[in-house]
């Protein structure tokens, strides 16, 4: 618990209603969506303006108190779990204004606490499109999306959060304002600090404002569900679609375990006997959609799809996509502990990676449900277990170790979109190099000399 | 001149044929394409493998000798001019291999010295597309493009070099290897150091390898030239095209001064009486091209285009585009000194910016030819003068000062694609903040403690 003096200070600054110090409140901010031990913060504060945010950072810096910035806490690698018992959590949910949506110049200016899906909806009202759609979009914040470089279902064609960040304002560890990027399409004024802040997991500064790129919405789209008797056929079809130079906006994969569990829960009418299904959507100009849909269907059938089902209307399509979005929450109900991974490989390596995941699960006798963004090589093998069963959890950890080794061997990466946090730090050097860790630490120590910004996350400090 | 011992060391490492120390050689590497004083380096070295490159960096680090990395020296802000008389220039032209073009996964792996246009041509042979096309693409290197975040004519629709850098390997100041990014579409393993290296102008590390994203080529395209009696109509048409939600792949502007001078030189048959012309190209699916071309023509005519000319064949189109590419070299012949600027504004502010450029030119009685990437708000007002005429050059400098003030007031930026180098460092704080400069310097000093990597460039060290 923070000192009464500090609590009083923050109450004077932010108002009593924005300072939380009860045991129950602190417990609420002691964990995120990663499978990691909870750590109680000493205080939770909720600034409601950029100026207040800066003052919070300065006050914590002056007092040498570590800070963890938190949006909605949907983080999957522990980035929003407090580091130590004296950590103060800074909530960004009070900074939730969309400051500008500019239709002429195709950008928006937002505060960090704006909810992703609400932002996308406001943008859509102006007949524009903000593509990044992380699984948690209904509750996640744009600031969190930037700090984690959130991906989503549309990454293959439209890219990830990184590809939409045009400019940023943030406070450094001392509370001084730093600006990078612009409202212009091109900007090379100084270092690309906007690019550096992307996926920096709250370790280099505290985001106060972002300029996000918007695009004209596609004029048409078409979706389908392809049913496969086995995982390998589905994986080959994914590689085949890309090789045919079609870039679907969505190309999602669910394996049998996921299909059955999701269907049990949602009654979406999924093909329960299928070894795997692919959900594919193409969008763009109506004529291009026509051509792409035909090309996709051809590849799907050539790779052994036993059925290609086109939803009869938007409601049916929504139901299928919702089933995909339910994959994680439904799998998470199956067993006490859910370890959701996001090892990612070049797209052509999806068949090899799927084979490896299943072989590894069999070898270590662990239950895996796999779904994910097959089109960009970003699978989510989800390990269902019980952390209290020490022996089982050890097997899960060994399986994950081997899975990462395989991803790297296939020229892939540890983490496509969930981040390093504390969950994956130990594997980082394997993918990069000793020099990369040292370079990152040197940079970080210079920018945060007291080691107060989420200090145990990423490469440590 | 470097010591004989150092020369001998490098000759042993790289072979005599890759170490240059004659007066004539040193003079060749004392300047780049910016209007700035030449500085002779003490030695020029040309490694031909990544291992040699690392050894060069380590040797210079150990000896405390500053280094400037140079590709083809097309830099427009002084980034490749040596800092001091003891600087050693590291040429990347010996590292010119395309290591992989992967059609299945849509990426390529390259060394830094590969020539941009040669790379694009190799990629095209595999029926793929690398969009960034800086004006200097016929000679510029990919490493230089990354270090400067080079733009080009296709930025509006396809983005700039930043948008194509998936992964990077570089040597830090000591010669240790650092890796960031991946061959995968998504990667959040550690800091986005690839994003940080973009536009870092050789101040944070020495690039040895890059993974670049490729895309399927557009199936069709259509180009036109629109003629306007005055600049304002052309500028309004640009804003109108974007507002109509058409994203042309090219949307270029030339003012009368540029038109006449280019036509004199190229005999391209440009409309010499026109106040301005726009060169527009749309690409994509054939049906989309059809629709977009019609929409563009409608907007052009609604904004006062006196003629919209569609080239009758590829040869005629090439001639028009070549005329645009000749704008800079032709303007540069007009007077002894050419100061090419790249202030950039949000696209809707193009009319205001064009008006301001012309008003400023009249106020300071300086000659300006303006052309550029109107579609992304990135104009190139080009000041034609004689630097030896001190009074005239002072007026040019005052005009540029006022132009930058205007760009920032219009929520634009100092530099869309040319970089800061030493040419624009003094304006940086005006666009960003004191905190931004300090943050950048702290970061830089930590990563280059001896201050050897292009030390006077960008924010200084």
């Amino acid at each position: 618990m923070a000192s009464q003096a500090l609590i009083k200070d923050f109450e004077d600054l932010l108002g009593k209603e924005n300072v939380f110090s009860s045991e129950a409140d602190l417990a609420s901010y002691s964990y995120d969506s990663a499978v990691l031990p909870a750590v109680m913060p000493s205080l939770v504060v909720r600034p409601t303006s950029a100026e207040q945010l800066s003052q919070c950072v300065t006050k914590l810096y002056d007092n040498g108190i570590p800070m963890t910035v938190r949006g909605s806490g949907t983080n999957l690698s522990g980035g929003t779990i407090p580091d130590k018992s004296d950590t103060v959590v800074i909530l960004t949910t009070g900074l939730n204004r969309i400051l500008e949506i500019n239709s002429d110049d195709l950008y928006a200016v937002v505060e960090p606490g704006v909810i992703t899906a609400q932002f996308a909806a406001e943008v859509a009202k102006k007949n524009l499109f903000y593509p990044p759609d992380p699984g948690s979009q209904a509750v996640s914040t744009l600031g969190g999306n930037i700090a984690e470089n959130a991906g989503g279902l549309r990454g293959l064609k439209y890219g990830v959060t990184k590809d939409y960040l045009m400019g940023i304002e943030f406070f450094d560890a001392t509370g001084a304002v730093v600006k990078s990027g612009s409202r212009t399409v091109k900007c090379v004024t100084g270092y690309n600090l906007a690019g550096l802040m992307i996926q920096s997991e709250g370790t280099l500064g505290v985001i106060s404002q972002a300029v996000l790129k918007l695009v004209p919405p596609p004029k048409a789209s078409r979706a389908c569900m392809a049913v496969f008797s086995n995982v390998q056929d589905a994986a080959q079809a994914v590689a085949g679609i890309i090789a045919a130079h079609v870039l679907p906006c969505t190309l999602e994969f669910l394996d049998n375990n996921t299909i059955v569990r999701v269907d049990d829960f949602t009654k979406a009418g999924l093909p329960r006997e299928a070894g795997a299904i692919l959900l594919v959507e193409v969008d763009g100009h109506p004529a291009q959609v026509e051509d792409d849909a035909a090309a996709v269907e051809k590849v799907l059938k050539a790779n052994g799809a036993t059925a290609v089902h086109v939803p009869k209307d938007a409601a049916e399509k929504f139901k299928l996509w919702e089933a995909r979005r339910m994959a994680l929450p439904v799998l998470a109900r199956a067993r006490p502990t859910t370890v959701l991974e996001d090892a990612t490989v070049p797209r052509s390596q999806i068949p090899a990676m799927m084979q490896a995941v299943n072989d590894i699960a069999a070898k270590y006798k662990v239950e895996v449900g796999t779904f994910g963004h097959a089109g960009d090589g970003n699978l989510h093998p989800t390990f269902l277990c019980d952390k209290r069963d020490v022996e089982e959890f050890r097997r899960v950890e060994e399986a994950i170790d081997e899975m990462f080794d395989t991803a790297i061997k296939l020229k892939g990466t540890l983490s496509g979109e969930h981040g390093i946090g504390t969950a994956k730090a130990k594997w980082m050097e394997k993918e990069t190099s000793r020099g990369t860790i040292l370079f990152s630490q040197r940079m970080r120590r210079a920018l945060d000399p007291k080691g107060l910004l989420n200090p145990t996350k990423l490469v440590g400090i």
Side-chain angles (χ1 to χ4, degrees), chain A:
Chain A
M1 261 280 282
S3 71
Q4 286 308 313
L6 190 71
I7 293 174
K8 175 76 170 54
D9 257 15
F10 275 111
E11 286 178 348
D12 290 347
L13 178 62
L14 307 175
K16 284 197 174 190
E17 68 282 14
N18 289 312
V19 180
F20 310 97
S21 58
S22 76
E23 189 79 7
D25 279 333
L26 299 183
S28 303
Y29 299 107
S30 65
Y31 60 93
D32 62 14
S33 303
V35 182
L36 292 165
V39 178
M40 294 274 275
S42 67
L43 193 65
V44 177
V45 299
R46 186 173 173 277
T48 56
S49 71
E51 197 191 347
Q52 282 187 355
L53 179 61
S54 165
Q55 288 166 330
C56 288
V57 175
T58 303
K59 189 179 295 296
L60 294 169
Y61 177 79
D62 288 345
N63 286 282
I65 297 170
M67 48 196 122
T68 293
V69 181
R70 182 184 178 106
S72 300
T74 53
N75 191 292
L76 286 156
S77 53
T80 42
I81 299 178
D83 293 276
K84 316 176 194 178
S85 59
D86 61 341
T87 292
V88 170
V89 168
I90 301 178
L91 282 182
T92 62
T93 52
L95 293 153
N96 57 0
R97 281 167 292 260
I98 298 172
L99 303 172
E100 183 184 359
I101 296 179
N102 191 316
S103 299
D104 289 340
D105 293 321
L106 306 182
Y107 68 78
V109 184
V110 298
E111 292 187 324
V114 173
I115 303 295
T116 313
Q118 286 177 13
F119 173 65
E122 289 302 314
V123 164
K125 282 185 197 162
K126 302 225 170 187
N127 195 27
L128 290 169
F129 183 32
Y130 178 71
D133 59 343
S136 54
Q137 63 178 356
V139 290
S140 71
T141 63
L142 292 169
N145 293 170
I146 293 167
E148 298 289 332
N149 192 9
L153 276 66
R154 298 197 188 100
L156 170 58
K157 176 169 180 177
Y158 287 101
V160 296
T161 305
K162 177 174 70 173
D163 301 304
Y164 293 85
L165 185 67
M166 295 170 67
I168 201 163
E169 286 188 28
F170 63 95
F171 300 115
D172 72 8
T174 72
V177 67
V178 180
K179 298 179 188 183
S180 167
S182 176
R183 285 162 168 80
T184 56
V185 179
K186 293 172 172 173
C187 175
V188 294
T189 298
Y191 290 119
N192 179 21
L193 300 179
L196 178 62
M197 288 299 285
I198 273 281
Q199 79 194 48
S200 64
E201 304 188 358
T203 65
L204 300 178
V206 180
I207 299 164
S208 57
Q209 204 180 93
V211 183
L212 298 174
K213 176 172 142 179
L214 306 175
V215 295
K219 291 200 174 68
S221 65
R222 190 165 324 155
C224 73
M225 174 178 71
V227 183
F228 294 86
S229 59
N230 64 73
V231 162
Q232 283 303 306
D233 284 355
Q236 290 293 354
V238 169
I241 289 170
I242 310 298
H245 284 192
V246 176
L247 285 185
C249 63
T250 301
L251 179 40
E252 293 288 310
F253 168 94
L254 284 80
D255 73 358
N256 177 267
N257 193 2
T258 311
I259 293 167
V260 172
R261 289 187 185 278
V262 169
D263 197 57
D264 281 345
F265 187 76
T266 64
K267 315 290 179 204
L270 299 180
R272 302 173 62 96
E273 306 303 315
I277 59 174
L278 292 178
L279 298 175
V280 193
E281 185 170 20
V282 293
D283 70 2
H285 186 282
Q288 181 177 1
V289 166
E290 201 72 39
D291 288 359
D292 284 355
V296 164
E297 187 166 340
K298 197 173 148 196
V299 172
L300 292 169
K301 291 190 170 159
N303 284 280
T306 55
V308 177
H309 176 73
V310 177
K312 65 178 188 301
D313 54 22
E316 198 191 341
K317 188 226 151 179
F318 181 81
K319 205 166 152 188
L320 280 175
W321 258 239
E322 203 51 27
R324 159 62 187 90
R325 288 201 182 275
M326 290 305 288
L328 174 60
V330 167
L331 286 172
R333 292 163 53 94
R335 295 285 309 277
T337 307
T338 313
V339 185
L340 173 67
E341 285 304 341
D342 69 327
T344 302
V345 293
R347 296 170 279 215
S348 65
Q349 301 302 320
I350 283 272
M353 188 64 185
M354 278 307 312
Q355 186 65 52
V357 168
N358 289 336
D359 291 350
I360 290 167
K363 175 174 169 188
Y364 291 98
K365 299 184 182 65
V366 293
E367 183 180 356
V368 175
T370 298
F371 61 94
H373 320 303
D376 43 25
N378 179 196
L379 295 173
H380 291 313
T382 303
F383 295 81
L384 311 178
C385 56
D386 185 344
K387 206 179 169 176
R388 294 162 300 187
D389 179 339
V390 176
E391 193 276 328
E392 183 190 37
F393 201 67
R394 186 187 49 74
R395 281 185 283 118
V396 166
E397 290 189 311
E398 286 174 0
I400 290 173
D401 267 342
E402 191 163 330
M403 192 183 65
F404 286 152
D405 281 342
T406 305
I408 292 172
K409 208 161 58 194
L410 295 172
K411 302 200 171 175
T413 176
L414 288 175
S415 183
E417 57 184 11
H418 294 170
I420 298 297
T422 51
K424 292 191 179 178
K426 67 172 171 163
W427 288 289
M428 252 200 73
E429 187 171 335
K430 207 179 260 188
E431 179 176 332
T432 59
S433 68
R434 187 76 203 131
T436 309
I437 309 291
L438 294 174
F439 186 93
S440 302
Q441 286 173 336
R442 280 200 300 272
M443 174 176 78
R444 181 173 182 173
R445 285 184 201 124
L447 298 176
D448 179 16
K450 293 189 184 176
L452 301 179
L453 295 170
N454 238 4
T456 62
K457 312 303 158 52
L458 262 174
V459 293
I461 196 160

